[in-house]
Amino acid sequence: MATFADRWAGFGVTFRTMFRKTFTQGYPEKGKVKVTAPRFHGRHQLNRWPDGLEKCVGCELCAWACPADAIYVEGADNTEENRFSPGERYGSVYQINYLRCILCGLCIEACPTRALTMTNEFKLGDTSREKLIYTKERLLAPLLPGMEEPPHARRLGEDEQTYFLGLPKTGTPDTRTGRAPVGEAR
């Protein structure tokens, strides 16, 4: 049982810190901009190929790997007239519920195409619960110069092998891993 002196010692700590300025006073107008570590797990992003097609193939592995059940994916088939990704399928519906997400990164580890990555953006608070359910439109990476909004046909390379190696017509294979390019012997 706490003694009388222990109780007053606890109140002393409370009174000493009660009127001290906090680090959040004046946020976000005053103060430094928060710089995160390079491998920080922030908001998710659905990436694109260099021609603008989506990398997500709708395999739903990220949803299966999510321990918080925060990801919902519906895959659909691509057609030649309506192509959103270079493969046979694409993610037609993609949602991440940030009310459930624990930002653990297991979903990005499960993604076979590196379609899903995590950015350094950490300000995820919003004014309603509906705004914290991010849809595919909010998760997709912005179009960079030279990219075209899907649906469209594949633009890079004459065949699938060249496209998935990421080689423009004048490009060379990436040999930094020490592995031989597909189709070549070491």
Side-chain angles (χ1 to χ4, degrees):
M1 185 167 170
T3 64
F4 185 73
D6 292 338
R7 290 185 188 141
W8 280 108
F11 283 129
V13 172
T14 302
F15 286 122
R16 277 196 308 268
T17 59
M18 189 183 297
F19 301 107
R20 188 182 305 164
K21 286 188 175 184
T22 63
F23 67 92
T24 58
Q25 278 184 322
Y27 177 81
E29 292 81 22
K30 294 182 182 177
K32 297 179 181 176
V33 176
K34 175 74 173 158
V35 178
T36 58
R39 295 183 61 179
F40 176 78
H41 286 187
R43 185 184 65 82
H44 296 80
Q45 175 174 293
L46 286 172
N47 296 313
R48 299 177 183 266
W49 289 100
D51 63 351
L53 290 178
E54 302 165 9
K55 284 189 173 187
C56 180
V57 294
C59 66
E60 303 178 23
L61 288 175
C62 54
W64 282 97
C66 182
D69 198 25
I71 301 175
Y72 176 72
V73 182
E74 280 184 20
D77 291 333
N78 277 317
T79 61
E80 290 305 319
E81 302 82 33
N82 209 14
R83 178 168 294 284
F84 289 91
S85 72
E88 295 175 4
R89 296 173 48 86
Y90 71 100
S92 63
V93 176
Y94 202 101
Q95 294 177 350
I96 296 180
N97 185 345
Y98 280 106
L99 297 168
R100 291 182 177 180
C101 181
I102 58 175
L103 301 171
C104 63
L106 291 175
C107 52
I108 62 172
E109 297 295 329
C111 185
T113 61
R114 293 286 295 155
L116 188 64
T117 55
M118 296 179 96
T119 65
N120 284 349
E121 184 180 335
F122 61 91
K123 296 179 184 179
L124 296 173
D126 219 321
T127 57
S128 71
R129 296 176 67 86
E130 291 82 23
K131 292 180 182 176
L132 289 171
I133 299 174
Y134 279 51
T135 59
K136 180 178 174 179
E137 292 75 29
R138 288 178 73 186
L139 293 168
L140 269 173
L143 290 170
L144 299 175
M147 291 183 175
E148 182 182 344
E149 182 72 34
H152 62 78
R154 289 190 303 247
R155 304 278 190 245
L156 300 176
E158 292 77 32
D159 58 358
E160 284 188 14
Q161 179 181 1
T162 307
Y163 185 88
F164 289 116
L165 285 175
L167 301 175
K169 293 179 182 176
T170 59
T172 57
D174 183 8
T175 58
R176 291 178 290 176
T177 62
R179 290 185 285 168
V182 177
E184 291 183 18
R186 287 188 103 179

